[in-house]
Amino acid sequence: MTAGDPMTRSDAVLVEQARVVLRANDRGDHTEPTASGLYPAQWNWDSALVATGFATFDIDRAWTEIRTLLSGQWADGMVPSILFHGDDSSYFPNSRVWRAGAAVASSGITQPPILATSVRRLVERTPHDRREQLLAEVLPGIRASHEWLLRARDPEGTGLVAIVHPWESGMDNSPVWDAALAAVPPEPPVAHLRRDTGFAAADDRPRGPDYDRFLNLVTGFREVGYDPAAMWAHSPFLVADVGFNALFLRAQRDLLWLLDEVASPDPAGRARVAAQIERQRRALAQRWSPTLRRYCSYDVRHHREITAPGVGGLLPLYAEPALAAEHPELLETLRTWRAAVTYGVPSFDPRDPAFERRRYWRGPVWLVVNRMLADGLRAGGHPEPADVIDRDSLSLLRRSGFAEYFDPVDGSPLGGRDFSWTAAMALVLLS
Ligand code: GLC
């Protein structure tokens, strides 16, 4: 659908159904990713995206989602990847494994920092006379979270922040992490403790040995009390993920926009963020690979370039729409990936031997990524590839509902059903 088209009946039905999904997963002050029991808690970037979905029909509920997310922020500024608000016994690793968080029990790592970007979307939908007060509530937390990332995850000031766990990327088991993760011991075996495979087909979920490594990292972090300096110094997994950095750069630009929205200007604070953005932009530009025609992550721990073709390598399009103009090859890469499947955008290059069409982040389509790419392309003056992505997203929604993720070859629904962030993306897309 393009702007200006009348809503077809099926669009209206889709909107109605998407609202029903959000309402069903709504726990009052936060939204669970799905009602099935697969994820009985509040996830960081899910919530930020879900808030943009709520904002299309209930702006107050959208702000509540953000407030609850910030209520779990740590004193040092980190916004955890998961906040455990209630009975989390159907999930592993749950609060008894992490043993972290103060006001709210939480995980001890973070997730893609998209809060500022979502809050900007909310502000744009909030009446002018209410903006100042809402921003006063959330801006200090957002700024602290950005400062935390720069301090804890880029202590040497390179302009790129590093993640200490694949889960922080949001793209948990992408083949992009395989080589770096191989250095992490796969023990102890935790297959018997996993709960996810009870809710979704084992073939769609991460493999056992990967899960053992994921948990080994968690144990190591817990043993150092989640001290950022110790995690930076000793985590066997330390990666400058271009996807994460692209989202952070975008969030910094949106933070600047938010700072300009408030009535009382803070020129020093603004200049500080602007300088950070300049450094981040330069560092991200360095990650461009002219031969691979995409951006490549970097294994900071082992001083190695990561060449595996994950969709994070295309996300700089979203951080900095002008990049598509600077590197038109990026559009070519996107086109090639799309041509190899029926529905885009696959989370991993379908021509690569590591591609698996059904397994989580090793190939399936995730609508949150589609939305970001389409948004970046449109902002950069490339409406045609953006329309292709939006059309694919809508076809998948019509064919398979609000699944957690989708098979790029036959479009079938994968993982959990009635997923909050998928429903939210439908609402944003059709609003
Ligand atoms: C999985 C995804 C992650 C998401 C979470 C909750 O762990 O990989 O990105 O935040 O599920 O939906």
Side-chain angles (χ1 to χ4, degrees):
M1 190 180 107
T2 54
D5 284 352
M7 279 222 298
T8 62
R9 187 177 143 69
S10 58
D11 286 347
V13 169
L14 219 46
V15 166
E16 202 33 54
Q17 289 171 339
R19 290 183 186 180
V20 168
V21 169
L22 285 195
R23 291 295 188 207
N25 300 346
D26 184 356
R27 299 291 166 268
D29 62 355
H30 69 280
T31 310
E32 289 181 3
T34 167
S36 73
L38 180 61
Y39 301 108
Q42 182 180 21
W43 263 258
N44 178 334
W45 77 322
D46 294 59
S47 257
L49 290 161
V50 160
T52 64
F54 270 122
T56 64
F57 66 102
D58 185 348
I59 189 69
D60 289 330
R61 181 59 189 80
W63 281 105
T64 301
E65 190 77 23
I66 301 293
R67 266 192 223 106
T68 309
L69 182 57
L70 282 170
S71 75
Q73 182 169 31
W74 287 15
D76 67 0
M78 184 179 82
V79 182
S81 60
I82 311 172
L83 302 181
F84 299 104
H85 296 289
D87 177 13
D88 56 26
S89 50
S90 67
Y91 180 75
F92 177 82
N94 57 24
S95 54
R96 282 186 303 283
V97 178
W98 285 102
R99 281 181 252 140
V104 184
S106 74
S107 69
I109 57 174
T110 192
Q111 255 193 333
I114 60 165
L115 193 53
T117 303
S118 289
V119 165
R120 174 178 175 171
R121 291 271 176 264
L122 266 53
V123 169
E124 287 166 347
R125 288 179 176 270
T126 300
H128 280 276
D129 60 345
R130 295 185 53 209
R131 292 184 181 183
E132 188 69 19
Q133 180 234 323
L134 288 161
L135 276 173
E137 268 182 63
V138 302
L139 256 182
I142 294 174
R143 294 180 74 171
S145 71
H146 287 200
E147 290 292 339
W148 174 83
L149 266 177
L150 292 167
R151 205 169 54 239
R153 298 310 182 75
D154 183 21
E156 289 159 14
T158 64
L160 290 176
V161 295
I163 56 172
V164 295
H165 197 299
W167 286 344
E168 291 197 314
S169 72
M171 305 188 185
D172 303 13
N173 70 331
S174 168
V176 172
W177 322 128
D178 287 359
L181 199 60
V184 180
E187 55 191 43
V190 295
H192 60 293
L193 298 171
R194 284 177 71 174
R195 296 283 175 267
D196 58 324
T197 41
F199 292 97
D203 280 353
D204 303 357
R205 306 292 304 175
R207 289 202 167 81
D210 287 342
Y211 231 86
D212 299 338
R213 292 188 168 91
F214 293 157
L215 259 296
N216 180 287
L217 287 169
V218 171
T219 308
F221 301 155
R222 192 181 59 220
E223 281 168 0
V224 298
Y226 302 104
D227 171 50
M231 285 161 77
W232 172 270
H234 303 299
S235 171
F237 183 94
L238 192 68
V239 167
D241 167 19
V242 282
F244 190 100
N245 277 281
L247 298 179
F248 186 30
L249 174 55
R250 168 71 189 242
Q252 285 270 72
R253 293 172 60 236
D254 289 323
L255 171 59
L256 216 48
W257 186 92
L258 293 172
L259 290 174
D260 290 338
E261 261 311 286
V262 292
S264 44
D266 168 13
R270 198 187 184 287
R272 186 180 162 78
V273 177
Q276 291 165 348
I277 289 176
E278 254 330 288
R279 197 167 54 235
Q280 290 176 256
R281 188 183 274 151
R282 273 200 306 275
L284 190 59
Q286 297 285 314
R287 302 309 313 145
W288 169 253
S289 165
T291 44
L292 298 172
R293 310 198 298 180
R294 50 187 161 77
Y295 289 80
C296 288
S297 295
Y298 188 76
D299 183 340
V300 178
R301 184 57 80 226
H302 305 103
H303 310 287
R304 275 197 305 245
E305 176 129 296
I306 300 178
T307 55
V311 74
L314 310 182
L315 277 176
L317 274 177
Y318 177 63
E320 196 57 79
L323 286 175
E326 222 169 285
H327 297 304
E329 306 94 319
L330 209 46
L331 297 184
E332 195 41 47
T333 301
L334 194 58
R335 253 194 303 275
T336 322
W337 288 23
R338 174 61 181 80
V341 292
T342 320
Y343 304 92
V345 178
S347 46
F348 197 72
D349 184 348
R351 298 161 307 163
D352 190 281
F355 171 81
E356 291 179 75
R357 54 191 263 207
R358 298 179 63 89
R359 201 182 293 279
Y360 222 38
W361 290 96
R362 303 181 79 88
V365 179
W366 294 72
L367 288 209
V368 293
V369 175
N370 277 16
R371 196 80 279 287
M372 290 171 184
L373 289 173
D375 180 321
L377 286 164
R378 209 162 270 128
H382 300 278
E384 295 86 9
D387 288 346
V388 170
I389 295 176
D390 285 347
R391 261 201 306 277
D392 282 350
S393 297
L394 282 171
S395 303
L396 288 168
L397 288 164
R398 291 206 180 93
R399 184 197 179 286
S400 297
F402 306 96
E404 186 176 9
Y405 44 100
F406 303 87
D407 183 329
V409 178
D410 68 10
S412 53
L414 300 171
R417 298 302 133 92
D418 294 336
F419 238 74
S420 301
W421 70 0
T422 308
M425 292 307 96
L427 291 171
V428 171
L429 192 55
L430 293 171
S431 70

